[in-house]
Amino acid sequence: MTTVRSEDVDFDVDAFLARPLMAHLATTSPQGPRDSPVWFLWEEGAIWLIGTSNDSFPQRLLAEPRCAIGVVHFDLARGVLLHLGMRGVATVLPMDRARRDRLLRRYLGDDESAWNATFRETVIEPLDRMIRFVPETVVARDQSYFK
């Protein structure tokens, strides 16, 4: 994280981003702001996302690459609330199948033969774009009830 300007960091960002959490990608469009829930992979100081050339968020990023990503871990029973917010620039790239597979294994498990066949056919196989988001600023706040 040394290349990123950290504004407010209360916890280990690398360890947090190693977890299979859900992220939200905030982009802009001529019609106003947009939010896309996304799976992600944290590698080489970047957030990697997957999509298709038909998805709207890669198209918005081609038009305006400045964007933000937020990730939250919330555990009500334990009183845990960790929030990570990043602002930076995204680049839309061709699909890197090896990286895609590493990303998917985070969420679906290592045994690819156990992945749902319909999900594989309708969601995974059409993926043809990879988005590389490089954070310029990071805010990582521990707002847990019990620290």
Side-chain angles (χ1 to χ4, degrees):
M1 296 297 301
T2 57
T3 60
V4 176
R5 190 177 91 235
S6 298
E7 296 178 353
D8 186 8
V9 176
D10 293 344
F11 55 85
D12 183 333
V13 172
D14 291 321
F16 182 78
L17 291 174
R19 300 163 70 188
L21 301 168
M22 198 74 175
H24 285 266
L25 170 67
T27 58
T28 188
S29 76
Q31 295 77 34
R34 298 291 185 262
D35 177 81
S36 301
V38 292
W39 287 351
F40 69 92
L41 179 67
W42 174 245
E43 283 186 347
E44 300 174 0
I47 295 277
W48 296 87
L49 310 173
I50 49 179
T52 73
S53 49
N54 293 326
D55 289 335
S56 56
F57 74 88
Q59 294 173 21
R60 289 192 300 272
L61 291 170
L62 286 170
E64 173 54 78
R66 293 177 301 163
C67 56
I69 292 182
V71 184
V72 173
H73 170 65
F74 178 64
D75 183 335
L76 179 62
R78 293 188 175 127
V80 175
L81 176 56
L82 302 175
H83 169 261
L84 176 72
M86 298 175 282
R87 291 181 299 254
V89 176
T91 306
V92 179
L93 303 166
M95 181 54 66
D96 174 336
R97 293 181 72 86
R99 195 179 307 265
R100 177 202 72 179
D101 292 348
R102 287 193 301 278
L103 186 156
L104 291 171
R105 282 193 295 272
R106 286 169 42 95
Y107 296 92
L108 301 174
D110 289 330
D111 182 3
E112 294 182 26
S113 67
W115 296 359
N116 179 284
T118 302
F119 184 80
R120 180 187 297 277
E121 182 181 320
T122 60
V123 177
I124 297 173
E125 291 308 319
L127 294 169
D128 63 353
R129 295 291 179 263
M130 182 141 274
I131 293 85
R132 180 177 184 256
F133 170 82
V134 177
E136 295 174 349
T137 62
V138 173
V139 173
R141 294 202 178 116
D142 181 347
Q143 298 175 315
S144 299
Y145 312 126
F146 310 105
K147 291 187 182 180

